[in-house]
Amino acid sequence: MRFCRAEGELAERAGALLDATPMAGLARLSTRRPAGLLASLRAEGRRRDVIAVRAGDEVVGVGVRGEKECFVDGRPEPATVGYLSGLRVREDHRGGLVLARGYRFLRELHRAGRARCYLTTVLESNAEALRLLGSGRAGLPAYEDWGAIETSLFSPRRAARRLAAASRGPRVRSARAEDRPAAAAFLRAQGPRRQFFPAYEAGDLGSDDGLLPGLGLDDLLLAEDAAGLAGCAGVWDPSRFKTWAVAGYGFPLGAFRGAANLWAAARGLPSWPAPGAAAG
């Protein structure tokens, strides 16, 4: 097998493998990328490396390495942080030394980049990936658990109605083109308070070429008081570049999804989509 940094048509072939290989877990999730792999990776950093594993002319494995400037440990100046994602190997080529060889190739890319450390996110129910990455075997790097990322679901329409009904507090409005520098400066000033918060630039806001493709200026809300800009929030919909679909469910959710959906509907909560349906 050969490992190489993929561009153009080869990168899109690697993306097809990535989309066709669901992530394991209680809900097996697969990705869909209407604009192709390369366009969907803008959020992963200003430098993006697609790694293809080739057996002859076939792409049998893929991984993605990104670099972006983030705030680390409360320091006011951002540092370059790497992000590793999209690790997939075709089932008939798993085992052996493929993973160890892949990380050796990653070290070569690391030496050509600027990353001080790397982050990886893994679904909590993906026990196989957590066990493998935490094993340190076959020359794999040492992974440390930095905690969980919790995702909350809410209705943006309902939140907008409540916001519009509020009569007190800062004035809230949609951003305009001339607000980009001030909004970026506000985010960079607040960034050191949040571990690994990206150091956004003005060009990242309301532009498909930045780190937030699909975030229009109308999606960015600014809160202002007498002292100036007091808050910033966005409703980011990247579905033109990347969506998720449910490939299937493990036990017990697969067996009891119908009952779980009845319970959720009675309480006004989101339901579990049918296999093959979009998940967001």
Side-chain angles (χ1 to χ4, degrees):
M1 285 185 288
R2 292 177 293 149
F3 294 77
C4 61
R5 186 172 180 268
E7 297 179 340
E9 185 267 343
L10 181 59
E12 296 308 326
R13 287 170 56 195
L17 174 66
L18 181 59
D19 291 349
T21 311
M23 289 190 297
L26 190 60
R28 297 189 298 277
L29 298 177
S30 61
T31 46
R32 298 172 180 171
R33 303 169 196 268
L37 175 65
L38 296 176
S40 73
L41 295 177
R42 291 194 180 100
E44 305 214 358
R46 304 196 193 280
R47 170 175 173 155
R48 301 171 293 272
D49 297 319
V50 177
I51 302 158
V53 185
R54 305 184 70 176
D57 291 332
E58 295 185 85
V59 176
V60 299
V62 60
V64 176
R65 173 187 176 275
E67 284 187 358
K68 70 171 70 171
E69 298 298 300
C70 298
F71 294 99
V72 181
D73 293 339
R75 295 185 177 91
E77 294 300 320
T80 303
V81 174
Y83 184 66
L84 304 179
S85 64
L87 176 62
R88 304 285 194 282
V89 179
R90 213 170 69 183
E91 190 170 0
D92 57 341
H93 283 77
R94 294 173 189 171
L97 297 176
V98 60
L99 198 58
R101 290 179 59 192
Y103 274 94
R104 282 201 296 268
F105 186 74
L106 274 171
R107 289 190 181 95
E108 296 177 19
L109 296 177
H110 167 73
R111 286 192 287 269
R114 300 174 52 208
R116 289 178 47 192
C117 61
Y118 289 88
L119 302 175
T120 298
T121 54
V122 182
L123 285 176
E124 194 171 21
S125 58
N126 191 349
E128 181 181 358
L130 291 170
R131 175 186 56 78
L132 181 62
L133 294 177
S135 68
R137 69 186 189 192
L140 267 64
Y143 277 81
E144 296 183 12
D145 186 354
W146 277 69
I149 299 175
E150 296 186 4
T151 302
S152 300
L153 302 179
F154 70 96
S155 168
R157 291 188 180 89
R158 183 180 301 175
R161 287 197 296 269
R162 291 179 178 176
L163 186 63
S167 59
R168 294 179 295 176
R171 181 175 72 96
V172 178
R173 63 173 177 85
S174 295
R176 299 184 289 266
E178 58 269 26
D179 295 317
R180 283 188 178 117
F186 178 83
L187 291 173
R188 291 176 77 95
Q190 297 296 316
R193 299 173 57 192
R194 296 163 175 83
Q195 185 73 302
F196 302 126
F197 188 80
Y200 292 116
E201 299 176 357
D204 295 321
L205 308 178
S207 169
D208 285 346
D209 295 326
L211 293 178
L212 297 169
L215 178 73
L217 287 173
D218 289 344
D219 303 319
L220 189 64
L221 299 179
L222 304 180
E224 298 173 315
D225 59 17
L229 190 57
C232 180
V235 180
W236 183 30
D237 178 9
S239 59
R240 285 192 292 123
F241 302 93
K242 178 181 176 181
T243 60
W244 294 90
V246 175
Y249 293 99
F251 185 84
L253 184 55
F256 298 102
R257 185 177 66 88
N261 282 347
L262 288 175
W263 180 86
R267 288 158 178 77
L269 299 173
S271 61
W272 294 94

